[in-house]
Amino acid sequence: MGAVWKEGGGSGTRKMAATLRIQSDWSWALRRDEGEAWLSCRSPGKPTLYGSVTRRGLSTEGVPDIAASEGFVVGEVTKKSILISCPHENVSTKFLAPYTTFGRIHQKSITCLDISSGGGLGVSTSTDGTMKIWQAANGEIRRLLEGHVYDVNCCRFFPSGLVVLSGGMDAQLKIWSAEDASCVVTFKGHKGGILDTAVVDRGRNVLSCSRDGTARLWDCGKSACLGVIADCGSPVNGIAVGTAESSLNLGTPETAPSEREIGTEGKILLLAREDKKLQGVGLQSRQPVFLFVGSDAFNCCTFLSSTYILAGTQDGNIYQLDVRNTNAPIQVIHRSGAPVLSLLPYRDGFIASQGDGTCFIIQQDLDYVLDLTEADCDPVYKVASWEKQIYTCCRDGIVRRYQLSDL
């Protein structure tokens, strides 16, 4: 099945491939002999096929000997992964258990996280009202970032890895030193909670979007707003900034840009909107570039390249679009009806997480889906990566770290 995900797959092909699922704690269940975990294969318009995998003992190499029930086939097995196929539906999935889990960073649901560019630090926000910086290797807490009123919705490192950008329900955007936890800049201007942020190039300018329907550009050096990039009249749930394909007409600014604008030229801003629209705006021109209407509210968006973008909806669709022609999606990937909460470009593909606890990786050259397991029906809100390590945060209050072998 080479058709998991192909760049430029044709106009609007909707990928409703069969989806394999496994019991969320399968790696625990299969630790003992005769241990068993359930499997299912769901294909649109057909009855779901149910089955199980059972541990029969250890092979001579010390790897568990696992057998599958009728209709399923077990491929490669390691301590943390198992490859399962359903030949009848021509689908394969490699299920990956976490390499390690951090359950003590927060007391409640973790709503956002990021990993620094060097891979050494993590930052996360929680409904327990806190934002913390921790060591990515062991989850040990290093700093508490205090100053937002109410919950913090989003957090990210600047490219340097030494500074954090956060947005809160208090409509404030803040910049923090990761070294001493001081808040160095506070931006005020939004009239509703901030839902997402983006950093332009190295971070002289940053972007935010809000429940108030606007996306704003800010000057970090002077802690001033450089302008409202878009005013949608509907909450903007997510944004992404990227360099546009050179043939794309981004429009021209009505007035000359401020000399405080650094790196906005040739960039396009994506807006994932609550009113079912995905919008592209010229970052420097403030002019609309495209408007795409989806099946439901858009929650998140990202750039795969200067040509291809991805956006996820509340009803489980992941749209792949070509920015040069957004009339019809290149394809729509749909694995479940749960909200798509996070999208992250990764190597030759992407990582997506959904509101039903699923988190999966699709790569162009892999003929199977990589499924990051263990969250059991609790939404996985955000995914971050550093080299071959993938970090997820979940409503169950746990940060999970997965170790990818050579893809």
Side-chain angles (χ1 to χ4, degrees), residues 108-392:
K108 286 185 184 172
S109 171
I110 305 173
T111 48
C112 192
L113 94 169
D114 194 22
I115 301 296
S116 66
S117 50
L121 294 177
V123 62
S124 53
T125 58
S126 167
T127 56
D128 65 13
T130 66
M131 175 166 45
K132 295 176 182 178
I133 291 175
W134 35 275
Q135 275 173 250
N138 57 16
E140 196 175 296
I141 294 163
R142 298 291 299 273
R143 295 280 180 265
L144 192 58
L145 305 180
E146 294 179 299
H148 277 288
V149 191
Y150 314 124
D151 280 358
V152 190
N153 290 333
C154 46
C155 57
R156 71 166 65 242
F157 283 101
F158 277 72
S160 67
L162 305 171
V163 184
V164 169
L165 177 66
S166 67
M169 283 306 286
D170 56 8
Q172 296 188 83
L173 190 65
K174 287 178 177 283
I175 296 176
W176 312 78
S177 158
E179 293 162 305
D180 65 6
S182 61
C183 176
V184 287
V185 176
T186 298
F187 297 111
K188 294 181 181 178
H190 278 297
K191 294 174 177 62
I194 292 170
L195 300 178
D196 198 11
T197 63
V199 175
V200 183
D201 290 350
R202 284 170 49 211
R204 303 268 293 277
N205 292 174
V206 296
L207 291 148
S208 58
C209 67
S210 162
R211 283 182 198 275
D212 66 14
T214 67
R216 289 171 178 262
L217 180 71
W218 308 86
D219 172 8
C220 297
K222 291 202 167 158
S223 59
C225 183
L226 289 168
V228 174
I229 306 297
D231 191 347
C232 305
S234 164
V236 183
N237 295 320
I239 51 172
V241 66
T243 302
E245 224 276 320
S246 54
S247 64
L248 200 62
N249 178 13
L250 298 181
T252 47
E254 286 173 9
T255 54
S258 154
E259 76 284 355
R260 302 291 305 176
E261 271 193 41
I262 315 284
T264 56
E265 197 180 351
K267 301 263 191 341
I268 186 167
L269 181 68
L270 301 181
L271 305 137
R273 295 167 37 166
E274 183 68 22
D275 60 1
K276 307 187 184 182
K277 290 172 184 153
L278 178 74
Q279 186 176 2
V281 177
L283 182 52
Q284 193 181 69
S285 71
R286 325 294 204 242
Q287 305 293 323
V289 177
F290 69 81
L291 192 65
F292 175 81
V293 181
S295 55
D296 203 346
F298 279 99
N299 291 329
C300 50
C301 53
T302 193
F303 284 84
L304 291 172
S305 67
S306 60
T307 312
Y308 297 110
I309 57 176
L310 282 183
T313 61
Q314 186 68 12
D315 60 355
N317 284 326
I318 298 172
Y319 290 90
Q320 185 195 354
L321 299 167
D322 183 327
V323 290
R324 298 165 301 185
N325 177 11
T326 57
N327 293 335
I330 294 168
Q331 65 169 335
V332 185
I333 296 164
H334 186 96
R335 285 175 59 84
S336 86
V340 180
L341 300 175
S342 158
L343 288 167
L344 179 72
Y346 190 75
R347 309 243 170 136
D348 295 323
F350 65 91
I351 311 176
S353 73
Q354 292 187 263
D356 57 1
T358 57
C359 183
F360 60 91
I361 305 180
I362 289 183
Q363 295 288 297
Q364 267 186 64
D365 51 353
L366 280 189
D367 56 2
Y368 55 84
V369 175
L370 261 164
D371 197 316
L372 307 183
T373 61
E374 206 186 82
D376 185 17
C377 302
D378 275 306
V380 175
Y381 291 116
K382 194 80 175 177
V383 184
S385 68
W386 184 75
E387 293 185 352
K388 289 180 185 173
Q389 295 168 30
I390 313 292
Y391 294 79
T392 65

